[in-house]
Amino acid sequence: MGTNDSAALLPYMAVFVRVVEAGSFSGAARLLGSTPSAVSRQVARLEQALALRLLERTTRQLRLNEAGAEFYQHCRDMLDAADAAVAIGERLMRSPRGLVRLSVPKAYGKFVVGPAMPAFLQRYPEVDVQLRISDQSPDLIEDGFDLLVQVTDNPPEGLAGKPLGPVRQLLCASPDYLQRHGEPQHPQDLLRHSCLYLGETAGDNRWHLRRGEQQETVTVRGRYISNHSEARLLVALAGLGITCLPHFTAAQALADGQLREVLPQWRYTGSYQGAAWLLWRQNHHLPPKTRALIDYLSEALIAS
């Protein structure tokens, strides 16, 4: 008998076990929510497919013959294995455990998500986390990630998600730089300053700022260009210019007085802002380990 034929017999084998253990077709039918005649037909089809008689039938009872007793044991082992397999799913779906893979942008990962992870790992000792910090967003299915964070105003269709909070860009400089070069009072004053900018595309040195209905665009220049906010932060801390940073990258330096916000009454409206979205594949049966991390990040980061 081929593999495909064997697979087709699995439901009949399960019914056969119930018949043996109930001692009758009627008893098995009650357990299975079926009828005695339907159960009897299924066992008969199994015997026909095997070309083997398994049960000796009398008017009063069913009795396993020698072949049936051996066959029953294998079928019982099959059901035990199935129960064990189902138990794995029930165990994993009952409490958070296992590995969760999460991808986040570099700066957001270092300054926001990374610092939040120790408390999560302490709260959920059976959940492991693989955190990839990269500005390249993965494909959740092809790259095997459970969650990702994107900074965007328009999260991609086809994914479930929730915003973790707004991402704003701030113009910042060190107090030493501002003391030596003066503090801009208007966006056009930036033309006289050394500005540290992104430099990934040709327009990254065009800074767009808004105050109420007033919009200003300034083409800035400077001695240092870097596509990573932490690199620009270090140069700004050294007093070498005015830079634009995500608020979470600048937060500690601003709190410590190592940086000061420049043109605070103006809002930068350029790239890399909107909201940080936590995204995952749409799934009605989200594993508890993934749900735990979603809920934790929502609670910890929205509150921060």
Side-chain angles (χ1 to χ4, degrees), residues 58-302:
T58 68
T59 55
R60 294 185 178 182
Q61 66 176 359
L62 296 175
R63 183 177 60 83
L64 283 172
N65 58 28
E66 183 179 357
E70 184 177 353
F71 187 74
Y72 164 77
Q73 190 56 57
H74 288 292
C75 293
R76 180 68 264 175
D77 292 344
M78 175 197 74
L79 285 186
D80 289 342
D83 289 341
V86 170
I88 292 173
E90 291 176 345
R91 173 172 53 83
L92 292 177
M93 293 302 290
R94 185 171 58 247
S95 61
R97 64 176 63 198
L99 176 66
V100 182
R101 300 186 69 209
L102 166 65
S103 178
V104 299
K106 287 180 180 177
Y108 197 81
K110 175 171 182 178
F111 290 99
V112 181
V113 175
M117 293 316 301
F120 174 81
L121 295 170
Q122 290 166 354
R123 184 183 297 184
Y124 296 99
E126 294 188 272
V127 179
D128 303 329
V129 176
Q130 180 179 342
L131 177 63
R132 187 187 80 158
I133 296 179
S134 171
D135 288 332
Q136 301 297 317
S137 289
D139 182 286
L140 285 173
I141 297 175
E142 290 186 5
D143 297 322
F145 281 87
D146 301 292
L147 299 168
L148 67 87
V149 172
Q150 280 186 1
V151 176
T152 179
D153 278 324
N154 299 297
E157 295 182 1
L159 295 178
K162 64 193 316 181
L164 298 176
V167 173
R168 296 177 291 109
Q169 295 278 349
L170 308 175
L171 299 189
C172 306
S174 70
D176 173 66
Y177 175 87
L178 295 174
Q179 184 177 7
R180 287 185 288 111
H181 297 278
E183 188 161 351
Q185 300 301 309
H186 187 275
Q188 296 302 324
D189 294 343
L190 294 169
L191 293 172
R192 299 192 297 272
H193 286 268
S194 176
C195 295
L196 321 171
Y197 58 91
L198 184 66
E200 284 189 329
T201 66
D204 282 341
N205 66 330
R206 291 174 60 82
W207 287 0
H208 304 274
L209 297 107
R210 178 184 295 276
R211 183 178 63 181
E213 298 299 318
Q214 189 176 359
Q215 177 84 34
E216 294 284 340
T217 300
V218 184
T219 301
V220 300
R221 293 180 175 81
R223 297 179 53 210
Y224 190 68
I225 304 167
S226 174
N227 68 340
H228 197 278
S229 62
E230 189 177 3
R232 298 195 305 278
L233 168 66
L234 294 174
V235 175
L237 289 171
L240 293 172
I242 299 172
T243 191
C244 188
L245 298 171
H247 71 279
F248 49 78
T249 302
Q252 191 61 54
L254 289 169
D256 294 343
Q258 295 177 285
L259 288 181
R260 278 178 29 203
E261 189 173 355
V262 173
L263 297 171
Q265 69 275 28
W266 290 81
R267 178 172 174 263
Y268 178 88
T269 60
S271 60
Y272 197 74
Q273 57 187 336
W277 280 83
L278 183 61
L279 303 168
W280 61 91
R281 296 187 299 275
Q282 292 180 344
N283 186 346
H284 295 299
H285 303 289
L286 205 61
K289 61 180 182 178
T290 307
R291 173 55 61 189
L293 186 52
I294 291 170
D295 292 345
Y296 171 81
L297 291 176
S298 299
E299 170 193 326
L301 302 188
I302 291 177

